[in-house]
């Protein structure tokens, strides 16, 4: 097992390894100072049938009183009505500030449960147990919690760090190829913005890479960034490589394009656009496109730039009339490039294949 400590407004450990679900009770007991309490597991209808009994049994055996709330899987559940349903469930069960929530699932569950923890009774403790690669390497660490609004993704949320994260890499074995590829988009993202050596590992080993090592490497990058810029005022923005275009793709596909696939396409679009604008001295888009293809990910979209612009202008990363675009200007290094919002559509259009613009 690998343990990474995140020291920000709240210090917590991220544990990465195999067979960790069965230790959830012992882990929570140590996080809660040896005291038992009531715990609500928030999960979805894909994950809970797979792992709910294991986690609940581990908690019960450690002396905790366990209840659960299971939502429908998918981005559509990250919304105000479902958020309200969870809060009402917690209130009807009379959970108190000394009780805990556990997010058992992927990024949707983690974001939603975290926001419930941040706002129920003005804040209760929670633990993340991510079961997808994307949630392990990205959304479960760093304390960003949110729900979506009709106007855009993650527009309602709070910075509220978990009190522990348990990444059981055995849960990756039950992921579909599509969902595993979603997580790989975030892994590849870390390589292009911070870690050329990670890209070399992925190009060499393909899907046979050592999971614990690569996941821990990505989480350590996230740790470093969060410790430097927890509230996303500077360097943490680099983690959004590909995400600005991705949110437009997700919204206009009505979320039929999954987050990781949209991020992959966004990375390709932004990189080609930056090359066309002369912002990258030595073009590397063919390398990016090949790595994405190796993991069954797209590097382009069927949407045109103008169809994505509305979502982009509602993006939370907008600062007045400026959109902060993340550009990897070399493999392993990235910059934040201020793009006037009025120019964003034309800039993105340069990165979408011309055949698709006609």
């Amino acid at each position: 097992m690998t343990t990474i400590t995140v020291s920000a407004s709240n210090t917590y450990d991220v544990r990465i390894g195999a067979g960790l679900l069965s230790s959830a009770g012992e882990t929570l007991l140590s996080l809660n100072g040896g005291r038992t309490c009531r715990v609500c597991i928030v999960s979805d209808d894909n994950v809970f049938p797979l792992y709910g009994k294991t986690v609940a049994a581990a908690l019960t055996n450690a002396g905790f009183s366990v209840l659960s709330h299971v939502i429908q899987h998918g981005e559509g559940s990250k919304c105000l009505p479902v958020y309200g349903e969870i809060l009402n469930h917690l209130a009807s069960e009379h959970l108190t500030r000394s009780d805990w929530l556990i997010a058992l699932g992927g990024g949707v569950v983690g974001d939603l449960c975290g926001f419930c923890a941040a706002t129920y009774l003005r804040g209760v403790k929670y633990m993340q147990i991510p079961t997808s690669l994307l949630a392990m390497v990205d959304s479960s660490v760093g304390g960003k919690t949110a729900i979506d609004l009709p106007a855009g993704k993650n527009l309602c949320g709070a910075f509220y760090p978990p009190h522990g994260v348990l990444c059981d890499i055995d849960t990756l074995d039950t992921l579909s190829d599509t969902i595993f590829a979603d997580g790989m988009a975030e892994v590849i993202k870390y390589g292009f913005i911070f870690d050329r050596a990670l890209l070399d590992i992925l190009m060499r080993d393909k899907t046979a890479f050592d999971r614990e090592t690569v996941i821990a490497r990505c989480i350590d990058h996230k740790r470093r960034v969060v410790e430097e810029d927890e509230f996303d005022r500077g360097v943490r923005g680099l983690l959004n490589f590909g995400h600005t275009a991705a949110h437009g793709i997700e919204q206009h596909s009505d979320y039929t394009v999954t987050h990781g696939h949209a991020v992959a396409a966004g990375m390709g679009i932004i990189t080609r656009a930056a090359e066309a604008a002369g912002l990258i001295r030595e073009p590397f888009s063919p390398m990016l496109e090949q790595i994405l293809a190796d993991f069954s990910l797209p590097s382009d979209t069927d949407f045109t730039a103008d169809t994505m612009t509305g979502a982009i202008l509602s993006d939370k990363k907008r600062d007045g009339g400026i959109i902060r675009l993340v550009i990897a200007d070399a493999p392993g290094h990235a910059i934040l490039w201020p793009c006037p919002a009025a120019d964003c559509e034309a800039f993105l259009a340069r990165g979408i294949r011309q055949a698709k613009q006609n």
Side-chain angles (χ1 to χ4, degrees):
M1 183 181 74
T2 304
T3 301
I4 295 172
T5 301
V6 182
S7 300
S9 59
N10 178 51
T11 298
Y12 55 95
D13 287 339
V14 183
R15 297 172 174 87
I16 309 116
L20 297 184
L21 290 186
S22 60
S23 69
E26 297 172 5
T27 300
L28 186 57
L29 202 59
S30 67
L31 293 177
N32 204 38
R35 300 182 300 275
T36 59
C37 62
R38 302 183 75 201
V39 180
C40 182
I41 301 171
V42 178
S43 189
D44 69 31
D45 54 1
N46 277 344
V47 173
F48 194 76
L50 292 172
Y51 304 118
K53 287 185 179 180
T54 299
V55 174
L59 293 166
T60 301
N61 291 339
F64 293 96
S65 176
V66 181
L67 59 149
S68 62
H69 189 97
V70 179
I71 64 171
Q72 184 177 349
H73 68 277
E75 188 73 26
S77 288
K78 219 173 84 173
C79 63
L80 283 167
V82 175
Y83 164 67
E85 288 172 10
I86 297 173
L87 293 185
N88 281 323
H89 183 214
L90 300 178
S92 68
E93 292 287 348
H94 306 293
L95 264 73
T96 70
R97 285 181 176 170
S98 62
D99 297 323
W100 283 66
L101 302 186
I102 288 183
L104 175 65
V108 168
V109 167
D111 284 1
L112 179 60
C113 179
F115 189 47
C116 290
T119 50
Y120 179 67
L121 300 180
R122 297 193 178 95
V124 296
K125 292 181 178 180
Y126 76 112
M127 180 167 68
Q128 292 270 14
I129 305 182
T131 58
S132 71
L133 178 59
L134 189 152
M136 289 181 189
V137 301
D138 188 61
S139 59
S140 68
V141 178
K144 281 188 177 181
T145 72
I147 56 174
D148 303 335
L149 300 180
K153 187 170 179 176
N154 296 331
L155 294 183
C156 179
F159 289 95
Y160 193 69
H163 292 75
V165 182
L166 204 63
C167 300
D168 187 338
I169 61 175
D170 287 343
T171 63
L172 302 180
D173 292 336
T174 57
L175 297 181
S176 68
D177 291 343
T178 297
I179 300 303
F180 186 81
D182 276 335
M184 285 309 305
E186 297 287 353
V187 173
I188 292 165
K189 174 198 76 175
Y190 282 111
F192 275 98
I193 61 176
F194 293 136
D195 193 344
R196 173 56 195 259
L198 175 57
L199 297 177
D200 293 336
I201 291 171
L202 298 179
M203 289 187 289
R204 182 193 69 210
D205 296 345
K206 304 293 192 296
T207 57
F209 64 84
D210 183 270
R211 291 179 174 181
E212 182 175 332
T213 299
V214 166
I215 291 169
R217 192 170 185 137
C218 292
I219 291 173
D220 200 46
H221 285 304
K222 184 74 174 280
R223 172 205 60 78
R224 176 177 53 82
V225 169
V226 168
E227 289 179 350
E228 182 177 345
D229 179 28
E230 182 175 9
F231 300 109
D232 203 6
R233 301 298 182 186
V235 68
R236 188 167 180 173
L238 295 175
L239 297 174
N240 291 315
F241 179 42
H243 284 59
T244 299
H247 289 172
I249 293 169
E250 287 178 280
Q251 184 171 333
H252 282 282
S253 74
D254 197 23
Y255 298 99
T256 58
V257 178
T258 55
H259 179 66
H261 282 65
V263 167
M267 289 190 288
I269 291 166
I270 290 291
T271 299
R272 288 189 298 270
E275 289 176 351
L279 299 174
I280 297 176
R281 291 184 181 181
E282 298 182 11
F284 59 87
S285 57
M287 172 189 177
L288 170 62
E289 292 167 4
Q290 183 58 58
I291 294 176
L292 292 173
D294 286 343
F295 290 93
S296 303
L297 288 163
S299 57
D300 208 349
T301 181
D302 289 325
F303 292 113
T304 56
D306 63 304
T307 64
M308 294 189 287
T309 301
I312 290 168
L313 294 182
S314 296
D315 195 284
K316 65 185 182 302
K317 295 179 286 299
R318 182 176 177 179
D319 185 6
I322 297 295
I323 302 289
R324 294 184 301 161
L325 295 178
V326 184
I327 294 172
D329 55 351
H333 187 269
I335 60 170
L336 288 169
W337 184 69
C339 178
D343 298 338
C344 194
E345 179 182 329
F347 180 81
L348 289 179
R350 302 178 76 174
I352 301 173
R353 299 294 188 196
Q354 286 301 309
K356 296 183 178 180
Q357 297 296 296
N358 298 328

